[in-house]
């Protein structure tokens, strides 16, 4: 409030001083005798013209003084903005690296799943229908004896393609250790997800 009053006082003083100067110069010109500018016999007298109205002058505004805090803040504004942008860019780089790492992990898992799926398809394809039909017509004790000495993956694939009742009778005729191994392989192949 005090600075506003002093500001108005300065403007009023400046306006008053200007008015005094203008009216004083006009008064001096009126009071002075009109004399020719050139010595000798003038042919023509030239007089100065006095302006009719005083010229308006824009009010003088003193510079607004900033506090020390405002000057400090205005001096460091650009540096603070640059630092904030730099911090945001670093944060974005960290997030991008994390996203890239997760994408790589997902790609790795996708590859593993595709490999497992191919292994399962190959496993099931080994037991062709003709071989399955042969074991389906055999007696359970003879089929159990033959499957026990065969490659376990192929034996499990054949048992999976047989009728459930026929497979259970064949497994019942087998030695318990071989039957357990075949059951484990069949159970892991029947799962929808990778058993490893």
């Amino acid at each position: 409030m005090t600075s506003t009053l002093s500001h108005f006082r300065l403007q009023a003083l400046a306006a008053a001083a200007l008015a005094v100067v203008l009216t004083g110069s006009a008064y001096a010109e009126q009071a002075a005798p009109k004399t020719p500018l050139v010595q000798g016999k003038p042919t023509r007298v030239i007089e100065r013209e006095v302006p009719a109205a005083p010229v308006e002058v824009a009010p003088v505004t003193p510079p607004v003084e900033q506090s020390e805090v405002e000057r400090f803040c205005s001096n460091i504004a650009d540096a603070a903005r640059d630092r904030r942008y730099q911090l945001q860019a670093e944060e974005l780089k960290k997030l991008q690296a994390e996203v890239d790492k997760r994408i790589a992990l997902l790609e790795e898992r996708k590859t593993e799943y595709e490999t497992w799926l191919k292994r399962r398809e190959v496993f099931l394809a080994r037991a062709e229908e003709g071989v399955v039909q042969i074991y389906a017509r055999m007696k359970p004790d003879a089929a159990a004896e033959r499957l026990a000495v065969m490659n376990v993956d192929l034996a499990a694939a054949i048992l999976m393609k047989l009728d459930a009742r026929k497979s259970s009778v064949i497994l019942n005729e087998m030695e318990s250790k071989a039957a357990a191994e075949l059951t484990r392989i069949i159970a892991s192949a029947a799962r929808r997800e990778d058993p490893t």
Side-chain angles (χ1 to χ4, degrees):
M1 177 95 177
T2 323
S3 65
T4 309
L5 285 176
S6 63
H7 177 68
F8 285 126
R9 284 183 191 157
L10 284 174
Q11 284 183 348
L13 283 173
L18 183 63
V20 167
V21 169
L22 289 178
T23 55
S25 67
Y27 179 72
E29 285 179 8
Q30 288 174 356
K34 296 183 182 176
T35 58
L37 297 175
V38 180
Q39 296 287 352
K41 194 170 188 184
T43 55
R44 183 172 146 205
V45 175
I46 300 175
E47 296 179 7
R48 281 201 217 168
E49 293 182 20
V50 178
V55 179
E56 289 187 30
V57 178
V60 178
T61 55
V64 179
E65 290 199 25
Q66 294 180 330
S67 70
E68 192 174 325
V69 173
E70 290 173 332
R71 282 184 300 202
F72 177 75
C73 289
S74 65
N75 287 340
I76 67 163
D78 292 336
R81 185 177 337 108
D82 291 343
R83 180 65 178 148
R84 187 172 49 248
Y85 290 154
Q86 183 182 14
L87 289 173
Q88 288 174 347
E90 288 173 4
E91 185 67 26
L92 285 175
K93 285 180 184 177
K94 286 179 186 175
L95 290 174
Q96 182 66 40
E98 190 175 321
V99 167
D100 290 342
K101 192 184 298 182
R102 287 185 181 183
I103 288 174
L105 181 66
L106 286 174
E107 288 294 329
E108 183 181 324
R109 294 263 170 95
K110 179 184 172 189
T111 305
E112 286 177 13
Y113 181 73
E114 288 173 349
T115 303
W116 178 81
L117 193 61
K118 286 178 184 174
R119 264 188 9 218
R120 184 175 186 264
E121 288 172 0
V122 167
F123 169 76
L124 292 176
R126 282 184 186 166
E128 293 182 20
E129 283 301 314
V131 175
V132 172
Q133 291 302 321
I134 292 171
Y135 279 93
R137 293 188 182 123
M138 288 176 76
K139 292 185 180 179
D141 57 339
E145 185 181 325
R146 303 300 182 289
L147 289 173
V149 293
M150 188 183 294
N151 180 339
V152 288
D153 289 337
L154 182 59
I158 292 170
L159 283 173
M160 278 184 68
K161 290 206 172 188
L162 286 174
D163 180 46
R165 183 173 282 169
K166 181 76 173 179
S167 295
S168 65
V169 173
I170 293 172
L171 284 173
N172 191 33
E173 294 291 327
M174 272 188 184
E175 188 179 303
S176 61
K177 191 173 183 180
E181 179 66 18
L182 287 173
T183 305
R184 184 189 63 77
I185 292 172
I186 291 169
S188 67
R191 275 197 239 159
R192 297 274 180 213
E193 58 190 39
D194 188 359
T196 56

